[in-house]
Amino acid sequence: EGNFPNYQSIIPKDSPTKVTFNTQAFLQNIEGALPLTPSETKSVLLRVNGKLEIQTKEPEKGEFKWHIPCEATGKKGEIVLRFNVRYLVEAIKAYMGQDVVLEVKEQLGPCRINSKAVVMPMKP
């Protein structure tokens, strides 16, 4: 019961930028970042510029930076996105055994994963 917003209105219908990467490689690398995510935000930074760089920093624990191969189509130049690592990992785990296609329309707008799941980025 109750009034709920039309969830379909927030799902991007067109995403000019697509970043494709291997699910297993991403999940293996994100495991190293988990202990170093900031305790208050649990955020991880993804930077796409010829490769997908995973980065996080906790001042008291250290910094994690790693990259995996990716293929990006659409927008030229660097793409920088920050996500709550828990939500991102859960959405990506749903696609084990296949590559992930992260579809980005704008830096702070909803991002689709394999045209099905939606994750919201945080301010970088």
Side-chain angles (χ1 to χ4, degrees):
E1 289 186 36
N3 294 326
F4 296 97
N6 180 359
Y7 70 91
Q8 292 177 336
S9 68
I10 67 158
I11 299 172
K13 298 195 182 355
D14 62 330
S15 300
T17 304
K18 294 181 178 157
V19 181
T20 305
F21 54 91
N22 180 273
T23 305
Q24 193 64 31
F26 179 83
L27 292 174
Q28 285 175 344
N29 283 287
I30 206 73
E31 291 292 324
L34 289 175
L36 299 175
T37 56
S39 55
E40 63 278 349
T41 63
K42 293 294 183 193
S43 66
V44 64
L45 187 78
L46 302 183
R47 185 181 312 270
V48 180
N49 195 3
K51 61 186 177 284
L52 175 63
E53 184 177 286
I54 303 162
Q55 180 181 353
T56 190
K57 184 177 185 180
E58 172 61 67
E60 295 177 12
K61 297 179 185 175
E63 180 178 357
F64 178 88
K65 190 185 289 188
W66 198 255
H67 67 272
I68 60 174
C70 74
E71 181 182 318
T73 59
K75 180 184 172 190
K76 301 294 181 208
E78 185 175 69
I79 301 166
V80 179
L81 301 163
R82 181 176 298 279
F83 293 98
N84 177 302
V85 70
R86 185 180 65 187
Y87 300 141
L88 182 64
V89 166
E90 288 303 315
I92 289 175
K93 279 183 177 179
Y95 300 101
M96 293 299 292
Q98 58 184 295
D99 284 346
V100 170
V101 179
L102 179 64
E103 300 174 39
V104 181
K105 184 172 185 175
E106 54 192 64
Q107 186 178 25
L108 292 175
C111 298
R112 292 191 307 179
I113 296 177
N114 289 16
S115 297
K116 295 178 183 142
V118 176
V119 289
M120 292 294 296
M122 304 164 71
K123 289 184 181 181

